[in-house]
């Protein structure tokens, strides 16, 4: 059914980069056989899944939507992919994205842009745009995405589905092609909150192969879905509803708060005073980490090697010039500059300090409130082509998601209405490792 749906819809949506049909059919047959022989059903038994193309899959092309990795066939599975296999879900294929997860519209894919299933003239968001569109179009039951500054939550909002960015360290990054290692997290994109809880259950947990993996107890996330939010204290940051927020998005958030009130929760306006520095901080830190992480792509070890180099340095230069797209080059240059001697203190170190202030803003609010609510993005999806060539405007789309990433805390985007026919996302933010409360609130609301 999944492949039939892909055949019907993906010519327009273009969510997939690679299909895994032969293997998936074989795996599904094996699961059937195991069940008939009296085996137990895994947590995600037989569910068709899509995987973002920056999460490595053994023997299945993993391109990061880059020309550089157009021939990269990994020899191992990411931990999250192994965990999906243990839970008996079936990987249908690899999903389109902005190249190396840098972008917010999928237009930075070096292959083709994915389109929004609600209206193919619009972007699905990004960078996990393929992951969001494939779930919204009913091609897969759920997908995995990655979120560095909003890349699960924003496309989930634009495509009218549920997207969860877990606490940094909850889900293993082993086998996630690194963009900004101190921010990257893998998480589920699903049709509803209950599914999100199930997929999180399957992928969360300590992994010795990831040095930043947190050794914490994993609760039963579905048991948190009680429908009860009585007495829940909600903080609403004034910085997330001010200038630049579409009035229809703001109205939808206010309506959502009324719904929470009617269920017995309370809300008050709060302040996250360093929000205005979040975008600058993020683009310094994320680009710095990216410039370092992407140094491994040299034309020798991974991916495509340029033809006819004059010498070794020329091989690096040609391979990187040909392999990377413009946004990736922009970030590498920005990051290299910020890390260079003489500028390190002024830019990178300063940004690290501001990151701490941003985290403290959240800590202060969470002293008095259980969750924070605001919009996921300031607007709904925009038209394909509308923001191309204007990176600064594109960067501003992440104003509500980036501070959360810098603080390393969990947040979910759930649908909360539409504006001019396009979906709006409500962002629910929680304390570190308190995914249960985030899921409980989201589930009661949806
Ligand atoms: N849009 C942001 C960026 O371009 C976030 C991307 C992400 O979360 N991977 O960096």
């Amino acid at each position: 059914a999944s492949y039939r749906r892909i055949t019907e819809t993906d010519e327009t949506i273009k969510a997939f980069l690679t299909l895994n049909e032969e293997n998936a059919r074989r795996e599904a047959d094996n699961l059937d056989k195991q069940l008939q022989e009296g085996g137990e059903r895994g947590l995600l038994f037989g569910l068709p899944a899509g995987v973002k193309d920056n999460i490595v899959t053994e023997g299945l092309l993993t391109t990061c939507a880059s020309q550089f990795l157009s021939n990269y066939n990994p020899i191992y599975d990411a931990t999250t992919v192994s965990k999906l296999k243990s839970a008996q879900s079936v990987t249908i294929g690899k999903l389109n994205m902005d190249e190396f997860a840098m972008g917010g519209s999928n237009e930075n894919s070096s292959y083709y842009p994915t389109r929004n299933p609600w209206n193919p003239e619009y972007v699905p968001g990004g960078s996990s745009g393929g992951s969001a569109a494939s779930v919204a179009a009913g091609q897969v039951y759920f997908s995995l995405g990655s979120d560095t500054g909003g890349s699960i939550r924003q496309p989930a909002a634009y495509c009218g589905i549920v997207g969860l960015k877990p606490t940094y360290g909850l889900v293993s990054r082993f086998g996630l092609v690194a963009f900004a290692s101190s921010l990257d997290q893998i998480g589920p994109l699903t049709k509803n909150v209950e599914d999100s809880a199930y997929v999180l259950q399957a992928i969360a947990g300590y992994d010795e192969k990831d040095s930043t993996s947190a050794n914490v107890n994993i609760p039963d996330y579905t048991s948190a879905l009680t429908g009860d939010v009585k007495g829940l204290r909600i903080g609403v940051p004034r910085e997330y509803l001010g200038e630049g927020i579409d009035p229809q998005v703001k109205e939808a958030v206010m309506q959502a708060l009324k719904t929470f009130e009617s269920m017995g929760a309370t809300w008050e306006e709060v302040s996250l005073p360093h929000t205005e520095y979040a975008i600058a901080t993020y683009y310094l830190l994320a680009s710095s980490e990216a410039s370092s992480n992407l140094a491994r792509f040299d034309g020798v070890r991974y991916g495509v090697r340029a033809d006819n180099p004059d010498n070794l340095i020329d091989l690096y230069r040609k391979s990187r010039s040909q392999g990377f797209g413009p946004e990736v080059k922009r970030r590498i240059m920005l990051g290299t500059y910020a890390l260079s001697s003489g500028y390190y203190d002024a830019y990178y170190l300063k940004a690290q300090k501001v990151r701490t202030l941003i985290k403290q803003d959240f800590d202060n609010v969470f002293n008095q409130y259980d969750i924070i609510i605001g919009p996921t993005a300031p607007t709904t999806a925009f038209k394909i082509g509308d923001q191309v060539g204007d990176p600064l405007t594109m960067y501003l789309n992440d104003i509500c998601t980036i501070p959360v990433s810098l603080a390393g805390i969990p947040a979910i985007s759930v649908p909360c209405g539409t504006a001019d026919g396009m979906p709006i996302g409500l962002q629910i933010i929680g304390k570190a490792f308190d995914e249960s409360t985030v899921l409980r609130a989201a589930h009661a609301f949806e």
Side-chain angles (χ1 to χ4, degrees), residues 52 54 97-105 108 126-128 146-155 165 179-180 183-185 282-283 286-287 327 331 394-398 401-402 405:
K52 186 175 179 179
N54 59 350
M97 54 186 281
D98 288 296
E99 184 176 3
F100 286 104
M102 297 172 186
S105 69
N108 294 340
S127 63
S128 313
S146 71
D147 190 311
T148 304
S151 276
I152 290 174
R153 292 161 283 162
Q154 183 255 33
K165 182 200 89 77
F179 162 13
L183 296 154
D184 299 340
Q185 264 297 283
Y282 170 86
Y283 277 97
S287 305
E327 183 64 24
R331 308 257 180 138
M394 192 77 92
Y395 294 175
L396 283 171
N397 296 325
D398 294 327
T401 47
I402 276 178
S405 297

Side-chain angles (χ1 to χ4, degrees), residues 169-185:
L170 184 70
V171 175
S172 170
R173 291 184 297 110
F174 180 72
L176 169 65
V177 178
F179 162 13
S181 314
S182 78
L183 296 154
D184 299 340
Q185 264 297 283

